[in-house]
Amino acid sequence: ATTKAFLPTMLEINHGHIVTVASSLGLFSTAGVEDYCASKFGVVGFHESLSHELKAAEKDGIKTTLVCPYLVDTGMFRGCRIRKEIEPFLPPLKPDYCVKQAMKAILTDQPMICTPRLMYIVTFMKSILPFEAVVCMYRFLGADKCMYPFIAQRKQATNNNEAKNGI
């Protein structure tokens, strides 16, 4: 809706910057959060299509930036856990850090920012390796079942609320 509101004027004056905030889970997925991944894949697809449309229309004054952070420490996916040996190297990101990285990308007209940079490697590996090799990589990182603790916590909280409310 926001793009729909501002894009006509941007096209008219050939100036502006469209920033799309997605997630690393819009570039690759994991088990247990299919609905979230699907929505983020949709956001990435929208952004890519719009970017191609602007290039085809030769609207080089309108910049685009796709923002794809890894797990951000907002509490949304509290309980999400990757392999404990990997966690120190890939902790949840602080929101302020994500904002700073996004702003750097926007101000330098970077078309895409993945935070941390390791997410570029995962995305690249996913696109060149066979599916079973990607599954092995996910298992090694503990990314294959990383959402299971989060899902279990949500289920427990739901059950507790239902018990409290007599449902």
Side-chain angles (χ1 to χ4, degrees), residues 90-162:
L90 204 54
L93 303 171
K94 298 291 179 205
D96 286 353
Y97 173 74
C98 293
V99 170
K100 286 177 186 166
Q101 294 302 104
M103 286 306 301
K104 277 187 208 174
I106 293 162
L107 294 172
T108 58
D109 295 332
Q110 192 174 330
M112 180 177 173
I113 178 71
C114 289
T115 310
R117 297 186 78 68
L118 176 65
M119 296 302 108
Y120 290 111
I121 296 168
V122 176
T123 303
F124 176 71
M125 299 300 277
K126 178 198 164 224
S127 64
I128 63 166
L129 293 175
F131 180 75
E132 290 304 322
V134 173
V135 170
C136 289
M137 178 178 67
Y138 275 37
R139 286 181 179 156
F140 174 77
L141 295 170
D144 59 330
K145 299 177 183 173
C146 65
M147 290 294 182
Y148 286 9
F150 159 73
I151 293 166
Q153 281 183 350
R154 294 284 306 247
K155 188 177 271 187
Q156 183 64 40
T158 301
N159 290 342
N160 288 344
N161 283 339
E162 286 175 358

Side-chain angles (χ1 to χ4, degrees), residues 8-44:
T9 304
M10 288 181 177
L11 290 167
E12 205 174 288
I13 63 174
N14 192 25
H15 182 76
H17 200 124
I18 297 169
V19 180
T20 307
V21 180
S23 166
S24 59
L25 290 179
L27 304 171
F28 51 85
S29 60
T30 190
V33 285
E34 293 81 5
D35 51 352
Y36 182 81
C37 292
S39 71
K40 295 306 176 180
F41 268 81
V43 169
V44 170

